[in-house]
Amino acid sequence: MERRPGEQAAGEPADCGAGGGEGGDDEPPQGAGAQAARPEARLTLLLRLRAQTKQQLLEYKSMVDASKYFHFQISFYDKIEDLEKEVEEVKTAFEMKKLALDRMQLSIALQKNLEKIDPKTSVLMDNMKHVLKLNKLIMKSHQESWDLEEKLLDVRKKRLELKQSSENKLLEIQTEKNKQKDDLANMENSNKIKAMQRNLKMEIQITTVIQNVFQNLILGSKANWAEDPTLKEIVLQLEKNLATI
Amino acid sequence: MSVLRPLDKQPGLNTATILLVGTEDALLQQLADAMLKEDCASELKIHLARSLPLPSDVNRPRIDLIMFVVNLHSKYSLQNVEESLRHVDATFFLGKVGFLAMGAGQESHCSIHRNTVTKLANTYRSPLFFCDLEREGFRATVAQRLVRMLQICAGHVPGVSALNLLSLLRSSENPAPEDL
């Protein structure tokens, strides 16, 4: 797409006398006053043109100088970055120096001013005192906020410690419980208990047999054991099932 | 003359020429009108073009500043600008090229992200301006800026060159070298 829809050329010089050197395409509104203004306007125009051509000559010269370096064809990006860094450094150095210079000038002017004026009544002194007051307030409130932050930190530390110790305790409790469970299980499985249980069983069986023998003795003697209280007691005692005790 | 070179012609006396490249004809026209209304001690010439390369048969004055106008609502305008950038000589990018992105106000219509345009401007190390060309107040402001830039690029302001302006514009805006 290479159409060019419009080409506008506009010649609208702002100062009305600028084009008037050729004898007026633009008609100056005032009559005789403009005649006197025109040579001055011509002079300014000429001076401006001189400045312009100087600047343009400078540009062309610098381009010509720069084009001598273009033959080298080294990587441009690095070079550009280096040059830009240099420019930035010089700029910042300049800014710093300017700042320092301004400060020195300001302080000297201030000094001279103070020497001139009666120090007690000037507005400057009031301002400075106010500034000092505010600074003190600022420092105090900074200190307070710092202290509060310290306290907050301490409280948080303590909380953390407490949490940790409670964690430890709970862990201990858990291990103890587990130990107990293990011990219990061990005990139940131990051999001693098994032997004891076997013995107990044996004894119970023996006593049950003895019980039955005595019962059968008393029954077989055909004595009436229900009437005699001592016999009754013995028989009933023999009925106790020892396995369930 | 398929490639535009910055200093291949003699400068016109007291004349400064700007070339606006973009697909939005009506808005470019309005911007040109706004620029002409501006107070300027030198003569202004404004060329409008849809895309480069420009036809070589016309006798035209030396171009001092090229502004590529990208409409963030249409991807076609970005493509167009990228195509046209190939026909510009490298020496032009020493301060005589700028990018103007319009339509950034309406986020919902933007099909190009702001970062794309910012990266484009960073690659070519040229200044990037954002503007809403449809509102008259903003257009007048951008026109004023462009006129000042144009004066500097044409050499009408003694002591400041286009390259100076470029490094001045750079320091506040983009930390470009780190990205590359």
Side-chain angles (χ1 to χ4, degrees):
Chain A
M1 286 237 292
E2 296 170 3
R3 279 180 300 125
R4 213 155 57 120
E7 174 166 353
Q8 274 197 351
E12 268 187 25
D15 43 358
C16 60
E22 286 95 330
D25 332 345
D26 315 312
E27 286 149 21
Q30 300 96 348
Q35 297 276 355
R38 262 194 248 155
E40 289 181 358
R42 282 183 74 179
L43 195 57
T44 39
L45 174 64
L46 283 175
L47 285 174
R48 216 177 52 234
L49 287 179
R50 177 170 173 268
Q52 280 177 13
T53 22
K54 251 188 165 178
Q55 179 75 14
Q56 285 165 347
L57 176 65
L58 191 64
E59 281 180 15
Y60 277 103
K61 259 195 191 172
S62 60
M63 278 299 280
V64 166
D65 284 339
S67 63
K68 292 180 194 158
Y69 289 101
F70 277 6
H71 297 307
F72 291 154
Q73 295 286 333
I74 317 178
S75 74
F76 280 133
Y77 283 140
D78 296 339
K79 264 207 161 181
I80 289 175
E81 279 179 31
D82 291 338
L83 290 171
E84 275 178 354
K85 267 188 212 155
E86 278 187 45
V87 168
E88 282 296 318
E89 279 172 24
V90 171
K91 260 203 255 181
T92 38
F94 172 69
E95 287 286 324
M96 290 290 126
K97 286 181 189 158
K98 208 161 118 134
L99 262 181
L101 205 63
D102 282 344
R103 275 194 204 130
M104 291 202 307
Q105 282 179 339
L106 180 67
S107 59
I108 291 203
L110 207 60
Q111 251 181 6
K112 289 204 182 138
N113 201 13
L114 283 177
E115 284 164 14
K116 269 195 274 178
I117 305 182
D118 179 20
K120 302 250 165 112
T121 59
S122 79
V123 180
L124 197 60
M125 289 307 293
D126 292 339
N127 275 347
M128 282 179 61
K129 284 190 188 139
H130 192 58
V131 164
L132 279 175
K133 240 193 296 180
L134 286 175
N135 277 350
K136 278 196 197 134
L137 268 179
I138 289 174
M139 276 174 57
K140 228 196 312 178
S141 41
H142 265 204
Q143 186 68 28
E144 280 173 19
S145 64
W146 169 253
D147 291 338
L148 283 173
E149 274 187 28
E150 284 277 322
K151 276 192 198 156
L152 189 66
L153 260 180
D154 286 338
V155 167
R156 278 203 185 140
K157 268 193 214 164
K158 278 193 195 145
R159 197 159 140 233
L160 186 66
E161 275 176 32
L162 278 174
K163 257 194 182 172
Q164 280 178 339
S165 62
S166 74
E167 216 183 283
N168 282 345
K169 285 283 166 359
L170 284 174
L171 206 64
E172 274 179 30
I173 290 175
Q174 210 177 32
T175 44
E176 278 297 321
K177 265 197 183 162
N178 283 348
K179 238 188 183 178
Q180 272 184 5
K181 256 199 232 167
D182 289 339
D183 281 343
L184 203 60
N186 280 348
M187 266 185 31
E188 281 173 4
N189 291 342
S190 91
N191 290 337
K192 271 193 193 162
I193 291 190
K194 285 209 175 108
M196 276 167 59
Q197 278 176 341
R198 258 183 285 140
N199 286 346
L200 189 63
K201 233 180 167 181
M202 192 67 92
E203 295 293 324
I204 289 178
Q205 282 173 346
I206 292 176
T207 17
T208 331
V209 165
I210 295 177
Q211 272 181 336
N212 286 341
V213 163
F214 278 152
Q215 260 187 346
N216 289 334
L217 263 177
I218 294 180
L219 285 176
S221 67
K222 295 200 179 156
N224 197 355
W225 54 271
E227 290 176 353
D228 192 356
T230 44
L231 273 181
K232 201 173 166 185
E233 223 182 278
I234 292 173
V235 169
L236 285 178
Q237 198 179 5
L238 291 173
E239 263 310 308
K240 274 198 238 167
N241 190 356
L242 291 167
T244 57
I245 292 178
Chain B
M1 200 183 58
S2 59
V3 173
L4 281 177
R5 281 179 222 283
L7 298 173
D8 54 351
K9 286 190 186 149
Q10 298 261 353
L13 210 52
N14 209 23
T15 316
T17 316
I18 179 173
L19 175 65
L20 294 171
V21 178
T23 49
E24 314 282 324
D25 301 332
L27 290 171
L28 289 187
Q29 184 75 37
Q30 287 176 336
L31 181 60
D33 292 333
M35 280 179 74
L36 289 173
K37 288 201 200 113
E38 284 292 322
D39 241 1
C40 182
S42 8
E43 264 187 42
L44 287 181
K45 289 198 180 178
I46 308 184
H47 288 236
L48 303 172
R50 213 145 229 248
S51 70
L52 301 173
L54 300 173
S56 48
D57 47 356
V58 185
N59 187 17
R60 75 173 64 80
R62 172 185 95 145
I63 294 182
D64 297 310
L65 175 62
I66 304 183
M67 284 302 286
F68 289 98
V69 179
V70 179
N71 186 0
L72 289 182
H73 299 239
S74 92
K75 290 201 175 110
Y76 169 63
S77 74
L78 184 65
Q79 268 179 344
N80 186 27
V81 160
E82 282 174 354
E83 279 285 320
S84 318
L85 276 168
R86 290 196 206 125
H87 298 279
V88 177
D89 186 43
T91 40
F92 238 117
F93 291 100
L94 293 171
K96 301 204 179 199
V97 169
F99 292 91
L100 184 65
M102 49 173 282
Q106 295 124 319
E107 274 294 314
S108 48
H109 293 285
C110 280
S111 57
I112 308 176
H113 199 268
R114 266 179 57 223
N115 277 350
T116 323
V117 185
T118 316
K119 264 201 204 153
L120 181 66
N122 283 352
T123 336
Y124 287 98
R125 296 180 180 262
S126 303
L128 172 65
F129 301 122
F130 287 95
C131 173
D132 189 359
L133 283 182
E134 293 171 20
R135 305 271 283 284
E136 194 172 326
F138 299 154
R139 207 164 48 220
T141 321
V142 157
Q144 208 180 31
R145 277 182 98 169
L146 287 181
V147 164
R148 300 271 179 275
M149 241 181 112
L150 175 60
Q151 278 192 302
I152 293 177
C153 292
H156 291 191
V157 178
V160 186
S161 76
L163 212 47
N164 258 351
L165 183 64
L166 187 62
S167 59
L168 276 175
L169 282 176
R170 164 133 14 183
S171 58
S172 57
E173 287 175 6
N174 33 12
E178 287 99 299
D179 295 338
L180 296 177

